[in-house]
């Protein structure tokens, strides 16, 4: 794979299955270097695999399909070039879509009512005079900030553009098929006030919605959200959970059951409501009328052993579909609604991206080591793959092999080693790059990963894995570095690297290290502890816990609660003991610093200061800045920027890991 192959990465979104279970619609999005945007259409395919997929829409970027309960319509989001996504609806038999909204900041998260006559959707509502299409931001009034949480990476300021619910009704009698008007109907705003309301789904009675919103006391100082009921007639919110009354749960996803119960994905965020690192997600159920036996949500999965993926929650008859993060996989599970052990529907190696169920059939979007995603159907007849969207990229892919190493304390470290194509690059020994993921409570997965593939395609062996602190290996594994960044995680990644270097196909004298976010932290940290690396790439790094306070969107608590509070003597010592910036004078490794100018998670000052401190000390260093990008540059930045980033990464490694000249 090369940087020019980015458009071959065709990624399906969450599929939408027809009510009879016979057909499925899904979006397929790819980076487009010509338009410098992400483009794609909706595709439709029969779930029995009797025909190949065909294009269902042909917009610039069509995503998020939702099938009406009566099977007549498919609602979806369409974004025109350089535009915001708007809600559209199209006849399930095909035809020209009709746009239903003209929201100034765009639309997300649409859901059909049980009678198929109404749609609820989420849209950000700008304060008067803010974010006008032709406006000059410098002409806007000043912002008065009085709370910690007022901006978010990838979004910007949030207090002056809250997420609210809107309702749009399709006029006409229920038995009229031609019921979509030629002009958009006027939506009705359901919710208001200083609160974000998201994730809305209709309750079976059609008079209420269940949604997610932070409405509890003290919500300005914690990360918890509540499950709420929304009255469709009045917009009134009624909490179903109350994070302010002693509960430590934060709700992330809600879905109604057919019996009027509510299923929840929620995390135990501790007494502070901010303990999100290693806060594993579990499945719960509650009855809005009576609660569970003990008056609160009843837990169905054990967060110490399973870490469910937020966002995948599909009640389906007598079971509920969820996704479990497990040793680099994301598996589709069916949890019995009556309780009991879950059943695996899609096993590894696989990375679930979304799922839906109807008519006795489950359809999932699944990536694997050679695919960025295909649709897979599971029913009584077994499992079958319905699409082949990744065929163009498969010839460029090198399949990683599993690697398990022992840390100095004997702890097993799980990861992968990917070798270049020997026919193209010879038998080796290959220069090697150790890659470290962000988070830290995240995981490298078994899905096709462009970062690994581009490096392997250029002739580098790549080592990557999930050290302690990662997700997918149980809560204890994730909690291991709380208050101990740069300790056992350092041991783990070096153990994995050394195990890989035992392979004679790798060149132990030409090794580099790179990582982003927390991976940028650990990369920088390693260069303060060892000079073994020929080069390093520190990307969007968390590099100074002290300046992180107040400059990051999570800075008011993250560094203080996960490394130590510099306001106390012990806390200051703890911060210094785990801070790369406190030890920057030890660095000798040539370093490329990559950062985005609009990164509000790890603000650009972190990278700028690392660059300056190395340059002051005579360490070879470069700073690569991307204008207009945030923390997610390498995953969802402009296609041209993603390509340019890859080109600079390859340029850097070509210079730092080049084979030394032979002395006569």
């Amino acid at each position: 794979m090369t940087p020019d192959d980015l458009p071959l990465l065709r990624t399906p979104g969450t599929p939408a299955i027809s009510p009879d279970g016979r057909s499925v619609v899904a979006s397929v999005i790819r980076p487009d270097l010509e338009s410098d945007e992400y483009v794609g259409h909706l595709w439709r395919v029969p779930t029995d695999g009797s025909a190949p997929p065909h294009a269902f829409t042909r917009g610039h970027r069509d995503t998020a399909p939702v099938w009406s309960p009566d099977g007549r319509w498919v609602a979806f989001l369409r974004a025109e070039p350089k535009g915001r996504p708007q809600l559209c609806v199209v006849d399930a038999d095909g035809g020209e879509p009709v746009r239903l909204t003209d929201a100034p900041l765009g639309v997300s998260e649409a859901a059909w009512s049980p009678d198929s006559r109404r749609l609820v959707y989420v849209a950000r509502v700008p304060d008067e005079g803010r974010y006008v299409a032709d406006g000059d931001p410098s002409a806007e009034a000043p912002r008065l900030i009085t709370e910690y949480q007022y901006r978010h990476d990838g979004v910007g300021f949030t207090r002056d553009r809250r997420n609210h619910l809107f309702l749009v009704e399709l006029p006409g009698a229920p038995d009229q098929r031609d019921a979509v008007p030629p002009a958009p109907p006027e939506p009705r705003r359901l919710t208001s006030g200083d609160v974000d309301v998201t994730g809305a789904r209709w309750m079976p009675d059609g008079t209420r919605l269940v949604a997610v919103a932070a409405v509890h006391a003290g919500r300005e100082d914690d990360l918890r959200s509540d499950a709420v009921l929304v009255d469709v007639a009045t917009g009134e919110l009624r909490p179903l959970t109350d994070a302010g009354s002693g509960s430590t749960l934060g709700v992330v996803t809600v879905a109604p059951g057919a019996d009027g119960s509510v299923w929840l994905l929620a995390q135990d965020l501790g007494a502070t409501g901010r303990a999100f690192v290693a806060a594993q997600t579990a499945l719960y159920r509650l009855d809005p009328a009576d609660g569970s036996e003990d008056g609160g949500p009843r837990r169905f999965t054990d967060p110490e052993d399973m870490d469910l993926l937020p966002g995948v929650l599909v009640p389906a008859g007598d079971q509920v579909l969820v996704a479990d993060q497990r040793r680099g996989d994301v598996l589709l599970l069916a949890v019995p609604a009556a309780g009991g052990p879950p059943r695996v529907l899609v096993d590894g190696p696989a990375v679930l991206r979304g799922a839906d169920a109807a008519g006795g059939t489950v359809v999932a979007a699944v990536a694997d080591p050679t695919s960025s995603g295909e649709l897979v159907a599971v029913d009584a007849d077994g499992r079958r793959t319905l699409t082949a969207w990744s065929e163009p990229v498969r010839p460029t892919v090198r399949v990683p092999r599993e690697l398990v190493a022992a840390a100095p304390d004997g702890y097993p470290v799980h990861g992968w080693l990917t070798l270049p194509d020997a026919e193209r690059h010879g038998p080796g020994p290959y220069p090697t790059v150790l890659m470290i993921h962000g988070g830290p409570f995240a995981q490298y997965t078994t899905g096709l990963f462009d970062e690994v593939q581009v490096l392997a395609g250029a002739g580098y062996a790549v080592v990557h894995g999930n050290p302690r602190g990662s997700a997918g290996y149980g809560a204890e594994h994730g909690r291991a570095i709380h208050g101990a960044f740069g300790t056992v995680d350092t041991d783990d990644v070096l153990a994995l690297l050394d195990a890989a270097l035992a392979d004679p196909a790798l060149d132990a004298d030409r090794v580099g290290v790179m990582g982003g976010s927390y991976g940028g932290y650990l990369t920088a940290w390693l260069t303060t502890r060892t000079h073994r690396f020929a080069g390093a790439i520190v990307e969007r790094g968390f590099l100074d816990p002290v300046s992180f306070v107040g400059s990051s969107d999570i800075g008011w608590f993250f560094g203080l609660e996960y490394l130590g509070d510099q306001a106390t003597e012990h806390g200051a010592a703890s911060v210094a003991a785990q801070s790369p910036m406190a030890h920057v004078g030890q660095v000798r490794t040539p370093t490329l610093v990559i950062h985005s100018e609009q990164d509000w998670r790890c603000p650009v000052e972190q990278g700028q200061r690392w660059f300056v401190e190395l340059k002051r000390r005579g360490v070879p260093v470069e700073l690569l800045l991307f204008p207009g990008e945030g923390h997610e540059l390498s995953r969802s930045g402009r296609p041209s920027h993603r390509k340019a980033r890859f080109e600079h990464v390859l340029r850097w490694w070509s210079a730092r890991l080049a084979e030394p000249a032979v002395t006569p």
Side-chain angles (χ1 to χ4, degrees), residues 468-544:
R468 275 169 279 187
S470 303
Y473 300 79
E476 184 177 352
H477 183 94
R479 289 192 292 259
I481 63 168
H482 191 172
F485 279 33
T487 58
V488 293
D489 47 356
T490 301
D491 294 339
D492 288 358
V493 295
L494 291 180
L496 201 63
L497 174 62
D498 288 336
L501 291 175
D503 188 327
L506 277 60
D507 189 340
D509 294 324
R510 291 187 292 156
V511 180
V513 59
M514 66 182 296
S517 194
Y518 160 78
Y521 164 91
L522 200 53
T523 295
W525 179 258
L526 285 169
T527 64
T528 72
R529 288 296 179 261
T530 177
H531 307 315
R532 66 181 293 181
F533 297 106
I537 298 179
V538 173
E539 186 166 13
R540 57 182 185 274
F542 165 57
L543 305 172
D544 185 359

Side-chain angles (χ1 to χ4, degrees), residues 339-422:
R343 178 168 55 97
V344 177
L345 298 183
V346 176
D347 206 344
V351 177
L352 184 81
R353 299 196 182 280
D356 198 10
T361 299
V362 173
V363 176
V366 181
D368 63 30
T370 65
S371 165
S372 52
E374 306 290 356
L375 295 187
V376 173
V378 183
D379 58 20
D381 296 327
R383 170 180 167 175
R384 55 192 171 276
T385 301
L386 304 176
T387 60
W389 291 314
S390 288
E391 285 305 311
V393 79
R394 289 186 198 275
T396 74
V397 173
R398 301 293 298 162
V399 177
R401 71 184 194 216
E402 273 196 290
L403 186 66
V404 177
D409 62 359
Y411 194 85
V413 189
H414 180 227
W416 297 268
L417 169 63
T418 307
L419 296 178
D421 184 351

Side-chain angles (χ1 to χ4, degrees), residues 141-221:
R143 291 179 174 89
L144 179 63
I145 308 300
T146 59
E147 63 285 317
Y148 292 126
Q149 300 183 64
Y150 61 91
R151 59 179 182 168
H152 195 277
D153 182 74
V155 177
F157 292 99
T158 55
R159 285 298 303 274
D160 52 16
R161 46 175 165 180
R162 291 295 199 188
N163 276 311
H164 284 292
L165 302 184
F166 290 77
L167 182 76
V168 60
E169 297 195 31
L170 304 186
D175 59 349
Q176 288 183 309
R177 184 163 188 86
D178 187 18
V180 178
E186 186 66 29
R188 175 168 66 92
R189 181 170 167 180
L190 292 183
T191 61
S192 60
D194 189 20
V195 62
D196 286 294
V197 187
T198 60
R201 295 293 181 267
W202 291 83
M203 295 294 287
D205 61 12
T207 67
R208 299 170 300 164
L209 302 157
V210 62
V212 177
V215 295
H216 59 276
R219 61 186 181 274
E220 296 297 344
D221 193 33

Side-chain angles (χ1 to χ4, degrees), residues 27-70:
S27 67
V28 180
I29 301 300
R30 63 177 176 85
D32 181 58
L33 293 171
E34 184 175 346
S35 66
D36 204 17
E37 290 194 84
Y38 293 85
V39 302
H41 318 306
L42 301 186
W43 292 76
R44 185 170 177 175
V45 59
T47 57
D48 64 3
S50 59
H54 67 274
F56 186 59
T57 65
R58 298 187 180 277
H60 178 68
R61 186 170 68 253
D62 296 340
T63 60
V66 188
W67 216 296
S68 65
D70 64 5

Side-chain angles (χ1 to χ4, degrees), residues 111-126:
W112 284 98
S113 63
D115 62 6
S116 300
R117 306 307 307 158
R118 297 165 292 171
L119 282 156
V120 67
Y121 63 87
V122 175
R124 287 195 175 275
V125 180

